[in-house]
C-alpha cells in the first residue's frame, strides 16, 4: 500500500532538462560578469588613460629624465 503511493522518479530526459537549465543560467551569469567588468574596470581604466595623456608632455618627461631626477632611467 505504501509503495503504490510513491511517485516514480523522472529518469528519461533528466540530463537534457538539467543541462538546459544550467546552460541558460551560466549564460546569464557570464553576461552579468562581462557587463560588470566593462563598466567597473574597463571604462574607468580607459578614462584614466585618456585623462593622463590629455596633459602629457613627452618633451618635459624626457627633460626630467635627462636632469637626473630618476636614477634608474638614463
Amino acid at each position: 500500500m505504501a509503495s503504490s503511493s510513491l511517485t516514480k522518479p523522472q529518469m528519461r530526459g533528466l540530463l537534457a532538462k538539467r543541462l538546459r537549465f544550467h546552460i541558460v543560467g551560466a549564460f546569464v551569469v557570464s553576461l552579468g560578469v562581462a557587463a560588470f567588468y566593462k563598466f567597473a574596470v574597463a571604462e574607468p581604466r580607459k578614462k584614466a588613460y585618456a585623462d593622463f595623456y590629455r596633459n602629457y608632455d613627452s618633451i618635459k618627461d624626457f627633460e626630467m629624465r635627462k636632469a637626473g631626477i630618476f636614477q634608474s632611467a638614463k
Side-chain angles (χ1 to χ4, degrees):
M1 188 109 153
S3 64
S4 65
S5 64
L6 293 176
T7 59
K8 291 186 177 182
Q10 178 190 0
M11 301 300 280
R12 188 176 306 266
L14 184 62
L15 177 65
K17 180 181 172 186
R18 289 181 55 87
L19 278 177
R20 190 176 315 120
F21 174 76
H22 285 99
I23 286 175
V24 169
F27 185 73
V28 168
V29 168
S30 66
L31 283 179
V33 169
F36 174 78
Y37 181 83
K38 178 178 173 33
F39 293 113
V41 177
E43 291 297 324
R45 185 179 293 169
K46 284 197 298 190
K47 185 182 180 311
Y49 274 100
D51 291 343
F52 176 77
Y53 283 110
R54 186 174 297 122
N55 300 324
Y56 180 69
D57 186 13
S58 61
I59 304 299
K60 183 179 172 185
D61 188 33
F62 179 73
E63 294 298 326
M64 284 192 331
R65 290 182 189 186
K66 194 168 78 172
I69 294 173
F70 299 109
Q71 299 295 323
S72 62
K74 292 185 179 187

